[in-house]
Amino acid sequence: MKRIWLALAVVVLGLAGCGQAQQTSNQSSQSQTSEQQSTTSSTATSADVADAVKQFTGRNFNVLPRLKQIPVTFVRHVDGDTSVFRLNGHQLKARYLLIDTPETVKPNTPVMPYGMQASNYTHTALNNAKQVTIMFDRGDYADKYDRILVYVFVDGQLLQKQLVEKGLARVAYVFAPSTTYLQELNRAQAQAKAKRLNIWSKDGYVTNRGFNTSLYR
């Protein structure tokens, strides 16, 4: 009788082991399938972006995707929050979304404190980057000065965030629905302010309307 019970126990354990192995195999297959789908999706997205760029004539911004990184060529530097890029052979002046750096080239306006530091940082980051990409948000493609409104990435890193977290830019010009990175930038600003970095080193210099340069006269 004992031998019969032992034999049954062996059979049950064997069946359980097979079931577990089959479950593990299924999970592994599902994981591989998900990874393959992710890779395919990424490739398709890159192809879609490339096709859209080929259609761009310099003015038909509506053909360009939103919330997708678009490779561009860095042409020249303007200041901390403005640059010129080339996209499909067309030069575009770009204004960085959601930030404001102290002025350095504005007509009839003296160079503001920390303006050159911000300007130099942006220039160096773009000049040294292996890849520069831009991203349009859900709002307007361009402003009234015909500057495209974009997020700028250097080697995959958001340049706006780098400027804010180093205390070289303030979060500003917030207009919905172009607010995709607003919370991230606000967190970076709070940290820079707490550390009193650069533009935050003197109370009252940063205001809701810009920079109070009278504090440095």
Side-chain angles (χ1 to χ4, degrees):
M1 192 67 172
K2 291 183 178 179
R3 291 179 180 178
I4 295 174
W5 282 112
L6 285 172
L8 288 173
V10 169
V11 171
V12 171
L13 288 173
L15 290 174
C18 290
Q20 186 173 6
Q22 182 63 39
Q23 183 179 4
T24 301
S25 176
N26 291 340
Q27 289 175 344
S28 177
S29 298
Q30 290 174 355
S31 177
Q32 291 176 358
T33 301
S34 297
E35 290 177 1
Q36 291 172 353
Q37 290 175 343
S38 176
T39 302
T40 302
S41 175
S42 176
T43 302
T45 298
S46 297
D48 291 343
V49 170
D51 288 341
V53 169
K54 290 178 182 178
Q55 299 175 44
F56 183 59
T57 63
R59 299 299 301 174
N60 58 334
F61 293 107
N62 61 300
V63 303
L64 299 175
R66 299 179 184 273
L67 301 178
K68 300 291 183 183
Q69 291 192 39
I70 303 171
V72 294
T73 301
F74 172 51
V75 176
R76 64 183 175 86
H77 173 65
V78 179
D79 61 13
D81 54 31
T82 310
S83 305
V84 178
F85 302 110
R86 183 179 294 110
L87 179 61
N88 196 32
H90 303 280
Q91 289 193 17
L92 304 169
K93 181 177 281 191
R95 178 66 171 80
Y96 295 16
L97 280 168
L98 298 180
I99 68 165
D100 179 35
T101 61
E103 299 291 348
T104 57
V105 295
K106 186 176 181 179
N108 304 315
T109 302
V111 175
M112 296 179 176
Y114 302 103
M116 287 308 303
Q117 289 92 323
S119 183
N120 291 338
Y121 185 91
T122 295
H123 178 259
T124 300
L126 291 170
N127 199 48
N128 293 342
K130 294 179 180 179
Q131 183 183 48
V132 178
T133 55
I134 60 173
M135 178 187 288
F136 294 96
D137 210 328
R138 296 181 178 87
D140 294 334
Y141 279 101
D143 64 12
K144 62 182 181 182
Y145 303 108
D146 290 327
R147 301 176 300 184
I148 58 172
L149 302 172
V150 292
Y151 299 109
V152 180
F153 297 83
V154 289
D155 296 326
Q157 302 300 311
L158 182 60
L159 185 52
Q160 275 101 320
K161 183 179 179 181
Q162 294 180 3
L163 287 163
V164 170
E165 66 187 3
K166 292 181 182 301
L168 296 175
R170 71 186 182 103
V171 177
Y173 302 113
V174 179
F175 300 107
S178 294
T179 56
T180 296
Y181 289 98
L182 180 59
Q183 290 186 0
E184 187 172 342
L185 292 176
N186 276 334
R187 287 194 294 269
Q189 177 169 275
Q191 293 174 1
K193 188 174 182 180
K195 296 176 182 177
R196 300 183 68 84
L197 297 178
N198 294 314
I199 62 174
W200 302 104
S201 61
K202 181 170 285 193
D203 292 337
Y205 178 51
V206 181
T207 73
N208 291 332
R209 302 185 62 181
F211 301 94
N212 180 14
T213 58
S214 64
L215 294 176
Y216 287 88
R217 291 173 187 169

